[in-house]
Amino acid sequence: MKLIRTEEAEGCVLCHDVTQIIPGVTKDAVFRKGHIVRKEDIPVLLSVGKEHLYVWENQEGMLHENDAAEVLRQVCQGDYMEPSEVKEGKIELTASCDGLLKVDKKKLNRVNAMGQIVIASRHGNFSVKKGDKIAGMRVVPLVIEEEKMNWVTQVCGDKPIFQILPFRKMKAGIVTTGSEVYYGRIQDKFTPVVVNKLEEYGIEVLGNTLCNDDSEMVTGAIQDWLEQGADMVLCTGGMSVDPDDRTPLSIRMSSDEVITYGAPVLPGAMFMLAYSGEVPIMGLPGCVMYSKRTIFDLMLPRLAAGERLKEEDFTVLGEGGLCLSCPQCTFPNCGFGKA
């Protein structure tokens, strides 16, 4: 940096904040570090006593913080995101649609491990709404080596660190199991809960089929929804290991691949996911009916965005997989489902 007369500073970049103090009114920076001095700024700078300024001196091989922030934006921004204007070497990304946020943790950690570079985001694999802030990024110094930013570009490659998968327009069929419900001995309170959760993601409910505990009846009901074009089928009840709980067998009989029966999440340990072709078939344990948040809330947004889940998507859920059942639920702004 170099020291110059304020009258000669037009077009130069400030290397420090310029503070304005008016007793009883304000004490704040009238211009921030990194500000490019305009002609109309010069009288203001003189009025706050700045007859000389330290400004950035262009050096070969060095990038200004705003230019470096633009490099970070390029490696971070995926589709369905809007960037803010660069300010003091900082850019923020905002969702331009509802969807599922995906974060490439390996790339994110490698870039942050460099030092002098900061990328902070919300957790991936959770839903975001249009207008939600996704991430913020900046370089710490006023100038940074161009070589470092080239390395960032090389490490990140063509695929951005952050992506949003828009929620798909889907249709769901529900299979409600249990002889006590089928014969009208008790009221079905499970299906309305499931319907409400599906509607959170714009999923159309085609209807629900009541079944007793006969596995063949349940299998037939699942097949009926598949034949009617359901994009997902959800089975409620009968998911424990008791001898008379036959729903898991019916799901196995209706699917091509079972991904998991059981997961390290509480509530929701007896959750089941299988696929018939590309259609997910879920077995929802009883906790989904009476617990505020369960494994269903962790998996549904991913399925609603069209992800095909694998076994390892479940085995990693142990850390953070315990819901604390807080008196006032703040999910997803809590630790549930976050490693």
Side-chain angles (χ1 to χ4, degrees):
M1 64 182 176
K2 62 181 179 179
L3 185 66
I4 64 172
R5 295 177 65 245
T6 298
E7 290 90 343
E8 301 170 352
E10 183 180 352
C12 295
V13 179
L14 290 176
C15 289
H16 55 92
D17 291 349
V18 176
T19 303
Q20 182 182 49
I21 301 175
I22 302 176
V25 178
T26 184
K27 181 183 178 182
D28 196 9
V30 64
F31 298 110
R32 297 285 185 184
K33 177 188 73 171
H35 176 73
I36 299 175
V37 179
R38 302 163 297 178
K39 184 177 181 179
E40 59 266 31
D41 298 333
I42 292 175
V44 180
L45 290 163
L46 292 172
S47 73
V48 295
K50 294 297 180 182
E51 297 185 356
H52 293 82
L53 299 170
Y54 283 99
V55 297
W56 179 47
E57 189 173 12
N58 190 23
Q59 302 175 44
E60 187 176 352
M62 302 295 289
L63 286 180
H64 181 260
E65 61 178 356
N66 286 353
D67 297 322
E70 174 60 20
V71 174
L72 293 180
R73 181 202 64 77
Q74 292 173 6
V75 301
C76 285
Q77 183 181 350
D79 294 335
Y80 309 105
M81 300 180 193
E82 297 291 340
S84 67
E85 292 186 6
V86 61
K87 182 178 180 182
E88 299 174 34
K90 179 182 177 181
I91 297 178
E92 294 179 339
L93 297 176
T94 302
S96 60
C97 73
D98 295 357
L100 179 79
L101 177 64
K102 301 295 294 183
V103 180
D104 190 322
K105 291 185 179 181
K106 289 184 178 179
K107 289 181 182 179
L108 179 63
N109 292 340
R110 286 192 71 185
V111 174
N112 278 330
M114 285 187 63
Q116 296 188 310
I117 293 176
V118 174
I119 304 175
S121 76
R122 61 173 63 207
H123 278 276
N125 288 333
F126 281 83
S127 62
V128 294
K129 292 186 176 296
K130 182 179 180 179
D132 282 351
K133 188 183 298 184
I134 300 301
M137 63 215 67
R138 68 169 303 161
V139 295
V140 176
L142 179 63
V143 295
I144 191 169
E145 294 90 340
E146 187 174 5
E147 182 181 359
K148 281 190 176 180
M149 302 313 299
N150 290 339
W151 182 88
V152 169
T153 302
Q154 181 180 354
V155 165
C156 293
D158 297 331
K159 188 176 179 181
I161 293 176
F162 303 108
Q163 291 184 298
I164 292 178
L165 305 180
F167 293 129
R168 299 183 176 184
K169 291 189 178 298
M170 303 181 78
K171 297 176 289 186
I174 301 174
V175 178
T176 304
T177 70
S179 295
E180 65 279 16
V181 174
Y182 180 75
Y183 293 111
R185 298 175 186 135
I186 65 170
Q187 181 182 356
D188 174 20
K189 296 185 178 180
F190 207 147
T191 302
V193 172
V194 176
V195 170
N196 287 338
K197 290 185 181 290
L198 293 173
E199 289 178 345
E200 287 183 32
Y201 300 97
I203 299 173
E204 177 188 352
V205 177
L206 298 174
N208 77 299
T209 305
L210 295 179
C211 296
N212 59 25
D213 293 319
D214 179 67
S215 61
E216 291 185 3
M217 186 178 193
V218 176
T219 301
I222 296 172
Q223 292 294 338
D224 285 344
W225 287 123
L226 292 173
E227 291 170 7
Q228 290 184 51
D231 300 303
M232 62 172 62
V233 179
L234 304 99
C235 302
T236 69
M239 287 303 303
S240 75
V241 294
D242 295 339
D244 57 350
D245 284 333
R246 308 288 177 82
T247 306
L249 174 61
S250 300
I251 293 174
R252 290 181 189 277
M253 295 293 293
S254 305
S255 65
D256 305 317
E257 180 185 9
V258 174
I259 303 300
T260 187
Y261 176 31
V265 177
L266 295 171
M270 304 309 294
F271 179 85
M272 187 173 186
L273 174 66
Y275 283 92
S276 174
E278 294 300 316
V279 178
I281 305 173
M282 283 170 274
L284 305 182
C287 61
V288 174
M289 176 173 56
Y290 56 78
S291 294
K292 183 71 174 178
R293 297 296 178 180
T294 68
I295 190 173
F296 187 41
D297 299 284
L298 302 182
M299 296 296 106
L300 181 57
R302 301 183 66 176
L303 295 169
E307 272 202 288
R308 186 179 177 105
L309 300 180
K310 305 177 293 296
E311 183 180 7
E312 50 265 38
D313 291 315
F314 292 88
T315 57
V316 299
L317 293 175
E319 182 181 2
L322 177 64
C323 177
L324 300 180
S325 301
C326 302
Q328 183 173 356
C329 180
T330 59
F331 181 85
N333 301 317
C334 66
F336 183 48
K338 301 181 177 75

